[in-house]
Amino acid sequence: MRVRDRNNVVVTGREGGPTVVLAHGFGCDQHMWRHVAAEIGQWAQLVLFDHVGSGQADPAAWDADRYSSLDGYADDVLNICRDLDLQQPVFVGHSVSSSIGVLAANREPDRFSALVLVTPSPCYIDDENYRGGFTRDDIDDLLGSLESNYLGWSSSMAPLIMGNPERPELGEELTASFCRTDPAMAQVFARATFLSDNRADLAAVSVPTLILQCAQDAIAPPEVGAFVHAQIAGSRLVTVDATGHCPQLSAPEATAAAITSFCRAAYR
């Protein structure tokens, strides 16, 4: 199977410009980047793709064992980079794709020029000296609800994840995206997302890194962004004046501006 078909890879934007890879989060697909891509694509070549099990990725590539760990998704990212012969791209990962990007960059640090981690969370579960935003019981309940009634879970969780109740169309878009995902595949990806603990991987990051967080985020509270910033040496932390976990939809102009400023500095 061709890598480009497997992950529905799309190359767009400015030909000959620096390369920016945009990776979506759980329950989403590359379409979620459209507003940000329109801005960044004016100066950069963009590589968009769908994780296997999401969007228009080839369902024949799905393997529950492979994708039960974020390592499988990181392997796919590196395979896409090799297949396209990408030279020092900036990897922009939203939500769980932030951790996927960290894993990929730690395996092949010379492959990437920089990382942009949009609303990252290396661990969602609270620990003695760490606030991830959820207790283990919270996560168990979340996964149990998802597995028993995926469509119902999508309808109730998507507006919470998106925030911005005064803009219901945003929550509706995320709900529709969740509902387009095969429930069996979503269950596996959800467990890989919400049960992973990648805190120990952060200190190994050796490329320039931007952490982009929202002022209010029910999924990744500000303490998480501060933790990631403290663990990645030399990283930059920017807080966007936005609500919710998906600033590429709720605040695309500010998100694109922050990414653009950082990326241009990385390519000097």
Side-chain angles (χ1 to χ4, degrees):
M1 181 182 298
R2 292 192 345 140
V3 170
R4 299 186 195 201
D5 296 333
R6 182 193 67 195
N7 288 100
N8 187 33
V9 177
V10 173
V11 180
T12 186
R14 181 182 172 187
E15 185 176 355
T19 301
V20 176
V21 178
L22 297 172
H24 66 82
F26 168 78
C28 303
D29 59 28
Q30 60 183 266
H31 187 62
M32 291 288 177
W33 289 111
R34 65 190 183 280
H35 301 305
V36 170
E39 176 64 30
I40 298 176
Q42 296 181 31
W43 59 267
Q45 174 180 265
L46 301 179
V47 176
L48 299 106
F49 68 95
D50 296 331
H51 289 301
V52 172
S54 304
Q56 297 300 309
D58 191 336
W62 174 256
D63 181 276
D65 289 335
R66 174 179 175 84
Y67 296 110
S68 64
S69 163
L70 298 187
D71 290 320
Y73 300 95
D75 286 342
D76 286 354
V77 167
L78 292 172
N79 286 334
I80 290 169
C81 291
R82 296 185 196 109
D83 184 70
L84 298 179
D85 192 26
L86 299 183
Q87 303 299 318
Q88 292 281 292
V90 174
F91 179 90
V92 180
H94 172 234
S95 193
V96 67
S97 277
S98 295
S99 292
I100 292 169
V102 165
L103 292 173
N106 284 355
R107 288 185 200 169
E108 297 188 18
D110 293 337
R111 173 72 63 180
F112 303 94
S113 64
L115 294 176
V116 178
L117 312 180
V118 181
T119 60
S121 182
C123 180
Y124 289 92
I125 300 174
D126 296 339
D127 206 346
E128 183 177 356
N129 297 308
Y130 170 80
R131 185 189 175 212
F134 300 87
T135 66
R136 178 57 193 253
D137 286 344
D138 291 335
I139 294 299
D140 287 343
D141 288 344
L142 181 152
L143 293 173
S145 175
L146 182 152
E147 291 168 2
S148 65
N149 182 2
Y150 179 66
L151 295 181
W153 178 89
S154 299
S155 297
S156 62
M157 280 298 296
L160 174 64
I161 293 169
M162 181 60 69
N164 298 277
E166 74 286 358
R167 300 164 67 188
E169 69 278 6
L170 296 180
E172 291 167 3
E173 177 171 346
L174 189 58
T175 299
S177 178
F178 283 178
C179 291
R180 287 194 299 269
T181 305
D182 180 277
M185 298 178 185
Q187 290 173 19
V188 173
F189 195 9
R191 287 192 166 273
T193 297
F194 292 108
L195 295 178
S196 290
D197 185 350
N198 297 105
R199 288 176 291 176
D201 298 302
L202 298 175
V205 173
S206 60
V207 300
T209 301
L210 169 67
I211 298 122
L212 195 60
Q213 67 179 12
C214 293
Q216 298 181 51
D217 185 346
I219 304 300
E223 293 91 338
V224 176
F227 177 85
V228 176
H229 176 46
Q231 295 299 305
I232 300 179
S235 62
R236 181 183 176 194
L237 174 63
V238 172
T239 300
V240 177
D241 185 16
T243 300
H245 193 57
C246 303
Q248 70 270 50
L249 288 178
S250 62
E253 297 86 359
T255 301
I259 294 172
T260 295
S261 175
F262 179 76
C263 288
R264 285 182 168 169
Y267 276 109
R268 284 177 185 170

